[in-house]
């Protein structure tokens, strides 16, 4: 079920920040906001620029630091988390092995010419197979996460629970929650560990950008068309927090994807035909108002025919 | 028809036509695989001096009859980068370099593209398909690292050595970094745009932020080929100081040696003498001269190289865990580099070998940095979205 709170997803904020603008219609001008910058890892506390841009009180929730402290005080949990992450990495490696062989087949079929009557079903079957592989991987990751939570009672562990109490108190007093980008895996893990969104009052809006936007969605899609190593493309990291549904945010899309190459665009969009694959560049804004997605004029989505189209009004 | 052929038509090479030809083209003229070099001026002979293995290194120009315009058209494979000079002979018109001739090697005045090296500069031509990689050029979005200069007292050499240290943007002691020791580091900075490349690759998340120790030798021809003092300097003088002064991951997998030409020999022989200390090697155009029988043709400077390579081939051990190797197909070392690949692989090291249509020069090594460093030290490209 889609959330009823307002959510704004933004593109990268380094050069052209618009968080303040995005917050304006959502909260009182002087209301304090909470910030999560855990994706910046050890630079988490370096949020002066963000504070200056927002021109209002900012409470950094310091999820990265909190997690480090929890691990220090709960070495059993640390060992369990490390083992869990080793499993996830291994699973990702196996998934990549399968992708390495499945993606070229789909790509070659897209690039070849032939009688559509014969070719189109082959193409569709190749993508169905890719989608099935993605679903399989997603299912395996969820299985591991659920098993981990059940075994270790993550949220009930003393130090996690104490931090959750503190976080809950902080979140009750803010007008909005801002989630910055950075390392999407680190960010997601911290958000998941403390289950922060469950602590946020139901109507408090959320503004998230880049990796922050990715972490809020149903699944976290990693992507790059021109890495220095390997064939590039997209791969699933696993489930996101699932707050935003039906959307796959692609921050820095122009830099990371070959958007002029219809074949490459299709390679991504046909993997997620039921979702809006949205290029999020600096200055872009996509808003969930509780009932539908709205986008600023510049926002483009990747279509299954390989073209780009304005996302525009209600999407 | 090539552009130059229009001037070769009977009566076509008028003064005005030549002026227009020079004004309307960029030189050398690249037309598909044909590259036409042009020189205008008085001379008895003009030739192209290049350093491409397997081609006569001096290629004679033709004079356009009745004019002072000289030209040479060569077939050059796609994606090539060739450095050259023009040889201008004044004096006798008979033969090349005969008695009474003055030969001057000069850069191509019609070609603005130059490649710098420690000996000056060469003109450079890019054939169809080659582009200067954008990651070698300053990117205003990339945060700049910093280069500091240190003086290091070396017990191995008994003197004081200059070492420059590259620190990535936003370096902070609370985080731990990998270390690259770069031989001829100052030349890598000046001629291979190393600082720009590192800033860009880190900015693009293709490599993690790393610290680099950039070494310079006062006598590399002696100190680089399997010199015990040099290896000791790197491992026992430099490494402890770097680990003391900077926040480094103390693990072989986070340490690399980089070198080109003799610098590659220095890197390999250091790793060979101290196996397991450096887990990553980046060896570009290594001067891996060896012999199977008889003498070698490298001259006395290569004697210790050949001695080392022959010894290495007999007992390579496992000097490192991962090795990136590159070489230009136009340079004499290509045979030796290709020959070494299976031997390196047989040691159990992970080996990646890359060839380029280029020569034994700094821009070739600059252009290989991305694939070398990002393979040896992969960055968080897939995971970070700022």
């Amino acid at each position: 079920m889609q959330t009823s709170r307002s959510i704004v997803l933004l593109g990268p904020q380094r050069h052209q920040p618009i968080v303040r603008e995005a917050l304006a219609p959502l909260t009182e001008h002087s209301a304090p906001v909470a910030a999560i910058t855990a994706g910046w890892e050890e630079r988490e506390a370096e949020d002066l620029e963000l504070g200056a841009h927002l021109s209002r009180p900012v409470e950094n929730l310091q999820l990265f630091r909190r997690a480090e402290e929890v691990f220090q005080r709960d070495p059993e949990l640390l060992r369990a988390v490390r083992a869990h992450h080793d499993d996830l990495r291994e699973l990702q490696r196996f998934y990549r092995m399968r992708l390495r062989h499945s993606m070229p087949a789909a790509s070659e079929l897209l690039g070849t010419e032939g009688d559509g009557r014969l070719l189109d079903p082959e193409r569709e079957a190749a993508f169905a197979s890719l989608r099935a592989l993605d679903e399989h991987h997603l299912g395996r990751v969820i299985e591991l996460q659920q098993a981990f939570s059940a075994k270790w009672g993550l949220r009930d562990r003393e130090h996690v629970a104490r931090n959750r109490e503190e976080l809950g108190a902080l979140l009750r007093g803010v007008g909005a929650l801002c989630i910055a980008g950075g390392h999407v895996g680190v960010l997601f893990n911290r958000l998941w560990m403390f289950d922060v969104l469950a602590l946020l009052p139901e109507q408090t809006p959320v503004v998230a950008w880049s990796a922050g936007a990715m972490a809020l969605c149903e699944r976290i899609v990693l992507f790059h068309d021109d890495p220095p190593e390997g064939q590039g493309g997209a791969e699933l990291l696993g489930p996101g927090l699932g707050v935003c549904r039906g959307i796959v945010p692609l921050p820095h899309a122009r830099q990371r994807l070959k958007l002029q190459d219809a074949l490459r665009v299709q390679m991504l969009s046909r993997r997620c035909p039921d979702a809006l694959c949205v290029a999020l560049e600096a200055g872009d804004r996509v808003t969930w108002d509780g009932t539908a997605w709205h986008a600023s004029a510049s926002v483009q989505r990747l279509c299954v025919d390989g073209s780009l189209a304005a996302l525009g009004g209600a999407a | 028809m090539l552009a130059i052929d229009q001037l070769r038509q009977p009566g076509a090479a008028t003064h005005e036509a030549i002026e227009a030809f020079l004004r309307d083209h960029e030189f050398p003229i690249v037309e598909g695989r044909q590259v036409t070099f042009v020189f205008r001026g008085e001379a008895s002979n003009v030739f192209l001096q290049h350093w491409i293995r397997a081609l006569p290194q001096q290629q004679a120009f033709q004079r356009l009859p009745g004019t002072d315009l000289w030209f040479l058209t060569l077939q050059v494979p796609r994606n090539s980068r060739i450095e050259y000079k023009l040889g201008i002979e004044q004096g006798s018109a008979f033969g090349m370099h005969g008695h009474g001739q003055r030969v001057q090697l000069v850069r191509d005045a019609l070609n603005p593209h130059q490649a710098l090296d420690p000996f000056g500069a060469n003109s450079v031509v890019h054939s169809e398909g080659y582009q200067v990689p954008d990651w070698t050029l300053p990117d205003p979005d990339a945060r700049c690292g910093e280069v500091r200069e240190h003086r290091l007292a070396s017990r191995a050499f008994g003197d004081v050595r200059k070492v420059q240290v590259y620190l990535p943007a936003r370096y902070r002691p609370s985080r731990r970094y990998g270390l690259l020791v770069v031989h001829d580091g100052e030349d890598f900075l000046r001629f291979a745009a190393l600082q720009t490349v590192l800033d860009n690759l880190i900015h693009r998340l293709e490599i993690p932020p790393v610290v680099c120790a950039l070494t310079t030798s006062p006598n590399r021809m002696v100190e680089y080929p399997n010199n015990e003092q040099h290896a000791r300097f790197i491992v026992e003088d430099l490494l402890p100081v770097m680990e003391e002064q900077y926040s480094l991951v103390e693990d072989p997998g986070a340490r690399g040696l980089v070198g080109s030409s003799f610098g590659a020999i220095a890197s390999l022989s250091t790793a060979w003498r101290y196996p397991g200390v450096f887990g990553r090697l980046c060896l570009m155009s290594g001067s891996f001269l060896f012999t199977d029988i008889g003498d070698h043709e490298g001259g006395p400077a290569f004697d210790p190289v050949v001695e080392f390579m022959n010894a290495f081939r007999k007992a390579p051990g496992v000097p490192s865990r991962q090795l990136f190797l590159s070489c230009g197909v136009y340079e004499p070392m290509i045979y030796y580099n290709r020959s070494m690949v299976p031997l390196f692989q047989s040691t159990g090291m992970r080996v990646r070998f890359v060839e380029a249509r280029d020569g034994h020069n700094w821009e070739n090594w600059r252009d290989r940095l991305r694939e070398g460093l990002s393979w040896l030290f992969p960055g968080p490209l897939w995971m970070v979205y700022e």
Side-chain angles (χ1 to χ4, degrees):
Chain A
M1 195 180 72
Q2 209 41 290
T3 179
S4 60
R5 77 169 90 239
S6 294
I7 295 181
V8 183
L9 306 182
L10 305 175
Q13 295 298 300
R14 182 178 161 203
H15 293 300
Q16 198 183 327
I18 57 167
V19 186
R20 182 174 54 199
E21 208 177 308
L23 282 170
L26 302 174
T27 66
E28 292 293 325
H29 174 67
S30 58
V33 295
I36 292 174
T37 56
W40 302 352
E41 303 174 77
E42 76 284 349
R43 286 195 296 271
E44 177 184 59
E46 296 175 12
D47 57 4
L48 283 178
E49 276 182 33
L50 177 63
H53 166 68
L54 294 182
S55 305
R56 63 166 85 202
V58 177
E59 183 69 55
N60 193 325
L61 300 183
Q62 300 195 44
L63 299 189
F64 186 81
R65 178 190 61 74
R66 286 174 188 277
E68 296 299 301
E69 278 175 17
V70 167
F71 293 143
Q72 263 183 11
R73 292 175 184 186
D74 189 347
E76 186 188 43
L77 179 63
L78 175 62
R79 279 193 297 277
V81 166
R82 282 187 174 157
H84 175 55
H85 287 166
D86 286 347
D87 285 352
L88 290 173
R89 265 193 295 276
E90 194 69 343
L91 207 55
Q92 198 76 12
R93 190 167 73 85
F94 299 148
Y95 165 63
R96 278 187 194 135
M97 281 180 189
R98 297 181 66 188
L99 271 183
R100 248 200 318 274
H101 295 280
S102 303
M103 288 210 302
S107 173
E108 196 174 341
L109 281 165
L110 275 185
T112 200
E113 287 181 6
D115 182 343
R117 185 176 49 89
L118 301 173
L119 180 56
D120 290 348
E122 298 307 314
R123 286 176 170 163
E124 187 39 45
F127 278 96
S129 155
L130 266 175
R131 289 193 293 269
L133 175 55
D134 290 340
E135 289 302 323
H136 171 78
H137 179 62
L138 187 71
R140 293 295 313 277
V141 174
I142 291 172
E143 218 173 86
L144 284 182
Q145 285 176 343
Q146 286 174 345
F148 177 85
S149 290
K151 182 171 180 184
W152 297 101
L154 184 62
R155 303 332 164 354
D156 299 328
R157 295 184 81 85
E158 180 190 348
H159 300 291
V160 176
R162 182 179 49 74
N163 274 284
R164 291 195 76 228
E165 272 177 34
E166 290 172 15
L167 290 167
L170 291 170
L171 287 169
R172 277 192 290 278
V174 299
L177 172 65
C178 296
I179 308 177
H183 193 294
V184 69
V186 170
L187 175 63
F188 171 80
N189 288 335
R190 270 53 180 183
L191 287 164
W192 182 70
M193 179 176 182
F194 296 112
D195 197 10
V196 175
L197 290 177
L199 302 170
L200 189 67
E202 203 179 316
Q203 292 309 314
T204 307
V206 178
V207 177
W209 57 96
S210 295
M214 295 163 74
L216 289 182
C217 296
E218 288 161 286
R219 43 185 72 185
I220 296 175
V221 179
L222 310 176
F223 58 97
H224 204 295
D225 272 345
D226 188 25
E229 285 297 317
Q231 61 190 345
E235 64 181 52
L236 267 183
L237 179 66
L241 297 171
V243 181
C244 303
R245 295 182 177 272
I247 189 164
V248 176
L250 305 166
H252 294 288
R254 267 202 297 270
Q255 186 185 317
R256 300 176 75 103
L257 296 174
K258 294 178 179 167
L259 293 177
Q260 306 312 317
D261 182 338
L263 192 148
R264 302 290 306 208
V265 170
Q266 283 187 72
M267 282 299 295
L268 204 162
S269 56
R270 290 180 76 154
R271 295 263 295 277
C272 333
D274 301 326
L276 292 168
C277 293
V278 178
L280 277 183
E281 307 295 347
D284 284 352
R285 185 194 321 187
V286 181
T287 306
W288 174 257
D289 63 5
T291 53
W293 288 107
H294 302 268
S296 55
S298 58
V299 180
Q300 292 188 303
R301 70 187 171 94
L302 284 64
C303 305
V304 289
D305 65 358
S307 66
L308 301 177
L311 190 56
Chain B
M1 180 188 271
L2 299 175
I4 190 70
D5 291 334
Q6 292 176 355
L7 286 179
R8 299 175 75 187
Q9 303 297 318
T14 63
H15 176 78
E16 291 73 21
I18 289 174
E19 290 290 327
F21 174 76
L22 293 174
R23 189 183 59 237
D24 295 343
H25 292 90
E26 289 182 359
F27 295 93
I29 305 173
V30 178
E31 295 161 291
R33 291 194 171 191
Q34 311 281 344
V35 177
T36 301
F37 299 85
V38 171
F39 170 76
R40 192 182 195 190
E42 283 310 322
S44 52
N45 271 313
V46 178
F47 60 89
L48 183 81
Q49 172 76 52
H50 61 80
W51 297 272
I52 299 175
R53 179 191 61 91
L55 280 186
Q57 298 210 336
Q58 296 178 351
Q59 303 265 335
F61 277 50
Q62 276 180 268
R63 184 200 281 267
L64 202 61
T67 73
D68 59 355
L69 197 77
W70 300 74
F71 69 94
L72 165 69
T73 300
L74 282 182
Q75 274 222 354
V76 180
R78 277 179 62 80
N79 299 317
S80 296
R81 208 193 132 274
I82 294 172
E83 297 194 8
Y84 68 97
K85 279 195 167 84
L86 299 184
I88 314 297
E89 292 184 8
Q90 306 287 356
S92 163
F94 301 102
M96 294 173 86
H97 312 317
H99 244 347
Q101 288 180 309
R102 285 186 298 111
V103 181
Q104 257 194 315
L105 283 180
V106 297
R107 289 189 291 275
D108 182 349
L110 296 174
N111 179 0
H113 301 296
Q114 294 182 5
L116 301 175
D117 64 25
F119 309 104
N122 291 316
S123 294
V124 56
V125 60
H126 303 157
S127 79
E128 190 185 33
Y130 175 87
Q131 281 195 316
V132 176
D134 59 355
W135 47 267
T136 67
L137 306 171
D139 176 351
D141 279 355
R143 296 181 176 94
C144 293
E146 171 196 353
V147 175
R148 296 178 180 176
E149 200 168 307
H150 291 255
R151 297 276 159 188
L152 175 65
S154 166
R155 279 176 299 181
F157 285 117
D159 59 14
V160 175
R161 296 286 164 120
K162 173 178 155 186
V163 176
Q164 290 170 296
V165 174
Y166 168 86
L167 295 180
R170 304 195 290 182
Y171 169 83
R172 47 191 301 146
S174 59
R175 181 177 183 165
R176 297 204 172 267
Y177 296 81
L179 172 70
L180 285 176
V181 175
V182 183
H183 289 87
D184 301 309
E186 204 166 333
D187 289 340
F188 263 101
L189 288 175
R190 289 177 64 198
F191 308 124
L194 181 64
Q195 187 171 355
T196 302
V197 169
L198 290 169
D199 288 345
N200 287 345
L201 296 184
I202 291 168
H203 167 68
R204 294 172 179 216
L205 309 165
E206 294 182 3
I207 61 170
V210 287
V211 172
C212 298
L214 310 163
T215 66
T216 300
S217 165
N219 191 359
R220 64 194 294 282
M221 299 302 280
V222 171
E223 291 183 356
Y224 279 5
N226 190 30
N227 182 314
E228 182 275 331
Q229 283 174 295
H230 175 77
R232 192 149 45 91
F233 165 68
I234 296 291
V235 177
E236 297 183 20
D237 292 340
L238 177 65
L239 187 56
V241 168
M242 290 299 295
E243 288 184 342
E244 186 190 307
Q245 297 198 8
Y246 297 100
S247 182
L248 303 177
V249 181
E250 295 183 11
D251 180 90
R255 292 191 203 115
L257 289 168
V258 179
S260 57
S261 190
F262 265 48
I265 293 289
S267 300
L268 179 62
S269 58
T270 299
W272 190 57
R273 284 174 176 276
Y274 289 86
V277 176
F278 290 93
R280 305 285 183 268
L281 300 180
C282 182
L283 311 182
M284 298 167 161
S285 303
S287 306
F288 300 137
L289 204 66
F290 59 78
T291 54
D292 289 308
I293 185 171
D295 209 352
H296 65 85
E297 295 174 343
F302 276 84
D303 285 346
V305 172
V306 172
E307 193 184 331
F308 165 63
M309 289 307 296
N310 286 349
F312 181 84
R313 291 169 75 219
K314 275 186 192 153
V318 188
S320 190
R321 300 304 310 167
Q322 203 169 324
L323 164 62
F324 176 84
L325 204 64
S326 72
C327 195
V329 297
Y330 299 149
E331 56 177 305
M333 287 299 149
I334 187 67
Y335 163 76
Y336 297 100
N337 275 267
R338 284 174 178 163
S339 302
M340 288 302 295
V341 172
L343 182 80
F344 285 135
Q345 286 170 331
S346 74
T347 66
M349 288 190 284
R350 283 185 68 206
V351 179
R352 181 164 180 191
F353 176 53
V354 168
E355 296 183 355
R357 294 191 182 280
D358 208 323
H360 196 79
N361 61 64
W362 284 96
E363 292 193 359
N364 176 11
W365 304 330
R366 174 199 68 187
D367 289 1
R368 307 280 82 75
L369 283 169
R370 182 190 186 213
E371 50 203 328
L373 296 183
S374 65
W375 186 66
L376 294 171
F377 295 93
L381 181 71
W382 285 89
M383 297 301 291
V384 175
Y385 303 76
E386 279 189 346

